[in-house]
Amino acid sequence: QVQLEESGPGLVKPSETLSLTCNVSGGFINRGGFYWGWIRQSPGKGLEWIGSIYHTGSTHFNPALKTRVSMSVDTASNQFSLTLTSVAAADTAVYFCARHHVVVTAPRFEFWGQGILVTVSS
Amino acid sequence: QSVLTQPPSASGTPGQSVTISCSGSRSNIGSNTVYWYQQFPGKTPKLLIHTTNQRLSGVPDRFSGSKSGTSASLAISGLQSEDEADYYCAAWDDSLNGHVVFGGGTTLTVL
């Protein structure tokens, strides 16, 4: 059973950079077969896809966040990461990492981390 | 404003059937498969339906998905109190180099 766990700071100052890492266990990112994604949920709001990355480094991003988002994969550590620059209060959300489907056009997220609340505040 | 439009709320009594709609466009639902997620308050979303109408293993057959044109639906029959949750639809959108879009979510209340 694949398990995912997010880690990173719970508080980020406005205009600074948010960095999160997702540790994957029970499966190897570099075996391929799946994209790995980030989804966020603002308090009391719906789900918003941020982007997904393949173990080769191929990425797909939400057009609304594309200019501020980057993702990377560390196959040696079996982790993947999210970086979001120039954050504002609107970026306050629970950030989930999840295993995406091998076909990126299929938003099939079967395994999720428990989520990490990131608050943007000075 | 979500790309996929869902009613904010739905309700039914135990045993009844309820349908949650998800309205999109030609570039998303009209061209791609639809996925449905269930989320309880404070919990992680759970995939219920994939590829428009396929239940994930372990999901009761009371849940079914369908699609017609640019709209999709999640039907729940024999409503139970434990079905009270938020439900989200999702699809790939072919516009802007392609991206995943979610509906705004529907809160289902079992009266």
Side-chain angles (χ1 to χ4, degrees):
Chain A
Q1 180 89 339
V2 175
Q3 293 185 311
L4 299 93
E5 183 175 13
E6 305 88 350
S7 61
L11 181 64
V12 181
K13 290 182 167 55
S15 80
E16 294 193 345
T17 296
L18 178 162
S19 296
L20 297 174
T21 297
C22 182
N23 186 69
V24 178
S25 58
F28 292 99
I29 290 178
N30 64 358
R31 288 242 175 107
F34 300 98
Y35 273 82
W36 302 87
W38 290 95
I39 297 124
R40 70 181 183 179
Q41 186 170 33
S42 300
K45 305 286 186 180
L47 302 170
E48 180 181 30
W49 176 72
I50 300 170
S52 295
I53 186 167
Y54 199 58
H55 71 95
T56 57
S58 172
T59 53
H60 296 266
F61 296 135
N62 184 328
L65 300 170
K66 188 175 183 177
T67 59
R68 299 194 291 130
V69 171
S70 63
M71 293 183 184
S72 62
V73 171
D74 181 350
T75 55
S77 301
N78 217 38
Q79 298 175 333
F80 63 103
S81 298
L82 166 71
T83 300
L84 182 66
T85 62
S86 303
V87 298
D91 294 309
T92 293
V94 174
Y95 286 74
F96 296 99
C97 60
R99 194 185 78 177
H100 195 155
H101 193 50
V102 60
V103 177
V104 74
T105 58
R108 178 173 176 166
F109 301 98
E110 282 191 54
F111 297 97
W112 296 64
Q114 80 282 2
I116 183 170
L117 174 62
V118 179
T119 301
V120 178
S121 175
S122 55
Chain B
Q1 192 91 0
S2 301
V3 173
L4 303 181
T5 301
Q6 297 180 237
S9 62
S11 63
T13 57
Q16 271 189 335
S17 295
V18 66
T19 299
I20 297 172
S21 63
C22 175
S23 178
S25 65
R26 198 159 38 184
S27 64
N28 42 66
I29 294 177
S31 306
N32 298 292
T33 52
V34 181
Y35 297 73
W36 289 94
Y37 293 85
Q38 176 190 58
Q39 186 182 32
F40 296 105
K43 300 297 184 183
T44 298
K46 172 190 171 185
L47 179 65
L48 290 180
I49 301 287
H50 67 89
T51 323
T52 302
N53 55 16
Q54 303 298 303
R55 278 184 303 277
L56 206 66
S57 177
V59 174
D61 60 7
R62 303 185 295 103
F63 292 86
S64 63
S66 63
K67 180 178 93 166
S68 178
T70 59
S71 291
S73 296
L74 173 70
I76 310 171
S77 61
L79 205 58
Q80 298 182 6
S81 58
E82 57 259 38
D83 298 332
E84 188 163 289
D86 292 329
Y87 294 85
Y88 294 90
C89 57
W92 182 259
D93 192 302
D94 293 329
S95 67
L96 300 172
N97 291 321
H99 56 288
V100 174
V101 290
F102 281 97
T106 298
T107 298
L108 174 63
T109 301
V110 181
L111 302 168

